[in-house]
Amino acid sequence: MTRSGQEYLESLRDGRAVWLDGELVKDVTEHPAFRNTARSIAHLYDMARDAELREVLTVRPEGQDRAVLRAYHVPRTQAELVERRKAFKTWSEASFGFLGRSPDYMAAGIAGFVSTPEIFAGETFDGRDNLAAYHRRMTEGDLYQSFTITNPQIDRTRAASEQEEDDLYVRVVKERDDGIVVRGAKMIGTGAVFGDEIIVGTIEPLQRQDVEYALCFSVPLDTPGLKFISRTSYEGQARSVFDNPLSARFDENDALLVCDDVFVPWERVLTYRDADTTFRMWWFTPAYNNFVHQAATRFWTKLEFLTGLAILITRANNTYDLPPVQMQIGRLIGWLNIAKSMVLAAETTYERVGGEGGAVHINREIASAHRAMAGDLYPKVLAEIKMLAGGGLIQLPASGYDLKHPELGPLVAKYVRSPGTPAEQRIKLLKLAWDALGSEFAARHEQYERFYHGAPHVYLPGIVRDGNPDLLAAFTQSCLDGYQLDELPGGTGGLDGGR
């Protein structure tokens, strides 16, 4: 049986160095900035042990006597691909789509790595054995793999080795018989402080001279020298679950990772001093497509939640049956089904790695298209629901305490209501809506949905590469080649409409 939520929480009490507001956090499971989200993640592990959900969330690999989280399993048929998506969907529904980097995200990426282990046999380092041990360690321990794979935004016009200072990005500063020592920083560690291990790599291209920066490794979060500098905690600012129902429970946080002469044993190194392999491990294995499979399923879930929120708001406002409102609701449902359809289509037109019996992953071209669609669509969804909610979103009591006050309570009950919707229910609904649409937590999610798969100038050209432009151009060219000027009746006179 997979580990329990309580076992997961206990694993976080390891002395990891998490910094927030100039304070070293002693225990993320008890600190008000992290404790509720940690428990939301723990709940995911408990779900995997639930008798009714166990078969959805776990799978027993052939020849093994213990079930593992399905996200770590390598699918080899379309049916297994669909079963993995059902597991993604089940976990995403537990947070209404607001935990983007839940444990299944990177787990699916690791399954992508082991689908094509030959990629890890670089010119200077062969990481295949380490990769196999890594996948086994993560799978058997039901571990939560967090990650930081982007260099800080310092000067993107220069290569890593051309920066003004040597230690701005994670690089090797010393090589020992038993491992390497690294120094520098990585961003953006979404959910990083909640992981069991942190994988550190580089997803963007490196220059061949950037060999000191061309590496990937995974170490426990309590490794000496690792520091996590957390952004503002929306959970820590939340007044209560009533007033901040999403940010109080599902703030997965983002952190800057700083490596201060961190020792990494050789057995935890996946790529080393090889710019090509360090890049190809993300893009030439199914890893990134697996990321999109999880993320697209979560996005579908998130749009279900937001569309349902719009319906509840308009019903509470007694405007649901108005034709203009029906049009707006219809637009939201249409967008939702576009997101859903892309997931199903990507599974149906799946691609296989190698020959028969090899791993399968979702269609690469549709996966690329989803990245473009989701980042563009999410702000439109929020804007549409804000229009439906109107001024009610900002005319709310400061907190639930106003409802309980002997003098204020009756006034709130009288003036903050609508037909068929008592004040408490209406306030509860609109506070949920504000947390999803207008709060700082909501603004972070809008930015996240736009950029978590990279900036548009990175992924839109990628769609051109994946979309086989030569084939598309050839199809259209066939139309042009199908007729000639001298074939028109009357020769060139046909241009003037003559017969």
Side-chain angles (χ1 to χ4, degrees):
M1 185 175 291
T2 55
R3 70 171 171 175
S4 67
Q6 186 58 41
E7 289 171 332
Y8 163 71
L9 291 174
E10 290 172 358
S11 74
L12 301 182
R13 301 185 180 107
D14 56 7
R16 59 192 60 194
V18 178
W19 290 84
L20 174 69
D21 291 334
E23 170 196 357
L24 180 61
V25 176
K26 295 180 179 179
D27 184 350
V28 295
T29 69
E30 297 299 333
H31 194 282
F34 307 102
R35 61 190 179 195
N36 289 347
T37 301
R39 281 159 178 75
S40 294
I41 297 170
H43 174 62
L44 301 179
Y45 284 102
D46 285 336
M47 289 173 66
R49 295 164 64 93
D50 185 284
E52 295 183 1
L53 298 174
R54 194 178 304 148
E55 290 190 6
V56 175
L57 294 171
T58 66
V59 61
R60 190 184 301 275
E62 186 176 351
Q64 296 189 22
D65 58 0
R66 179 185 181 274
V68 301
L69 294 174
R70 192 176 290 276
Y72 276 117
H73 183 61
V74 178
R76 301 192 182 278
T77 65
Q78 183 192 4
E80 289 185 342
L81 200 62
V82 170
E83 290 303 314
R84 185 176 68 180
R85 182 253 300 159
K86 291 179 180 178
F88 292 156
K89 190 73 169 64
T90 300
W91 262 9
S92 67
E93 288 175 355
S95 67
F96 309 100
F98 283 90
L99 286 180
R101 301 299 203 227
S102 49
D104 51 351
Y105 185 88
M106 193 61 217
I110 296 171
F113 294 155
V114 297
S115 299
T116 50
E118 64 275 7
I119 292 293
F120 292 80
E123 295 180 3
T124 57
F125 183 84
D126 190 340
R128 286 176 292 182
D129 289 344
N130 287 356
L131 173 66
Y134 169 55
H135 180 253
R136 187 165 54 251
R137 179 174 74 249
M138 303 305 293
T139 302
E140 293 177 354
D142 309 312
L143 300 184
Y144 182 179
Q145 175 71 81
S146 55
F147 63 99
T148 52
I149 55 178
T150 304
N151 289 327
Q153 291 178 323
I154 296 175
D155 186 349
R156 293 286 173 86
T157 66
R158 298 184 180 187
S161 56
E162 297 172 347
Q163 297 296 320
E164 293 181 357
E165 298 178 47
D166 290 335
D167 300 328
L168 297 179
Y169 307 153
V170 171
R171 72 182 184 101
V172 181
V173 295
K174 186 176 182 180
E175 185 175 308
R176 298 174 10 183
D177 290 341
D178 54 349
I180 56 177
V181 177
V182 299
R183 187 186 302 158
K186 286 286 180 178
M187 61 176 279
I188 297 174
T190 300
V193 301
F194 300 108
D196 293 295
E197 290 192 17
I198 182 88
I199 190 170
V200 181
T202 303
I203 198 167
E204 60 259 31
L206 292 169
Q207 302 299 318
R208 286 207 169 267
Q209 69 267 25
D210 296 335
V211 290
E212 293 179 354
Y213 303 85
L215 73 160
C216 182
F217 59 87
S218 180
V219 291
L221 264 72
D222 63 345
T223 298
L226 283 185
K227 295 182 178 67
F228 298 87
I229 305 175
S230 170
R231 62 149 165 82
T232 297
S233 170
Y234 309 130
E235 177 183 327
Q237 296 176 344
R239 301 190 65 174
S240 66
V241 174
F242 181 89
D243 292 304
N244 310 94
L246 298 173
S247 54
R249 297 180 291 163
F250 306 124
D251 181 20
E252 60 190 346
N253 209 279
D254 308 280
L256 175 71
L257 171 70
V258 178
C259 297
D260 186 6
D261 287 351
V262 172
F263 171 67
V264 182
W266 282 121
E267 60 268 22
R268 289 183 170 271
V269 178
L270 299 178
T271 69
Y272 183 60
R273 297 182 68 84
D274 189 325
D276 186 54
T277 301
T278 300
F279 175 74
R280 287 167 60 87
M281 65 177 286
W282 304 102
W283 299 105
F284 288 76
T285 73
Y288 205 91
N289 266 14
N290 289 358
F291 289 159
V292 177
H293 197 196
Q294 187 270 2
T297 303
R298 179 197 56 80
F299 187 76
W300 158 16
T301 302
K302 201 172 189 179
L303 293 196
E304 285 181 333
F305 168 81
L306 292 171
T307 303
L309 182 63
I311 292 169
L312 291 177
I313 290 171
T314 56
R315 285 178 175 171
N317 288 344
N318 204 26
T319 60
Y320 177 76
D321 292 323
L322 297 177
V325 172
Q326 288 277 295
M327 184 181 71
Q328 289 178 272
I329 296 294
R331 184 176 293 118
L332 289 169
I333 293 175
W335 286 338
L336 160 62
N337 280 289
I338 288 173
K340 175 182 177 180
S341 298
M342 292 186 78
V343 175
L344 302 183
E347 293 170 354
T348 302
T349 56
Y350 68 93
E351 299 174 16
R352 186 177 298 279
V353 178
E356 189 65 27
V360 298
H361 58 85
I362 61 172
N363 181 279
R364 190 179 303 274
E365 188 173 353
I366 297 177
S368 294
H370 187 279
R371 295 164 65 196
M373 178 278 298
D376 183 57
L377 182 59
Y378 193 75
K380 296 178 182 178
V381 171
L382 299 186
E384 201 76 29
I385 303 174
K386 287 178 182 178
M387 290 295 293
L388 291 170
L393 281 178
I394 55 177
Q395 186 59 65
L396 286 170
S399 75
Y401 291 109
D402 288 345
L403 285 164
K404 296 183 176 182
H405 192 277
E407 182 177 350
L408 295 179
L411 297 177
V412 172
K414 180 179 181 179
Y415 294 113
V416 190
R417 62 184 176 87
S418 56
T421 308
E424 181 177 342
Q425 184 177 342
R426 178 178 174 79
I427 292 169
K428 186 177 181 181
L429 170 63
L430 292 180
K431 281 187 174 289
L432 172 63
W434 182 252
D435 217 14
L437 305 173
S439 66
E440 191 173 357
F441 172 84
R444 179 264 176 196
H445 269 268
E446 180 177 348
Q447 195 76 352
Y448 175 83
E449 297 295 354
R450 288 186 175 197
F451 289 99
Y452 76 94
H453 274 316
H457 73 272
V458 174
Y459 63 70
L460 290 178
I463 294 176
V464 177
R465 293 190 297 270
D466 291 339
N468 202 339
D470 291 338
L471 182 63
L472 297 173
F475 174 65
T476 304
Q477 185 66 42
S478 69
C479 177
L480 295 174
D481 294 341
Y483 58 88
Q484 302 297 328
L485 186 63
D486 57 8
E487 293 178 2
L488 292 172
T492 57
L495 295 174
D496 297 322
R499 292 290 180 183

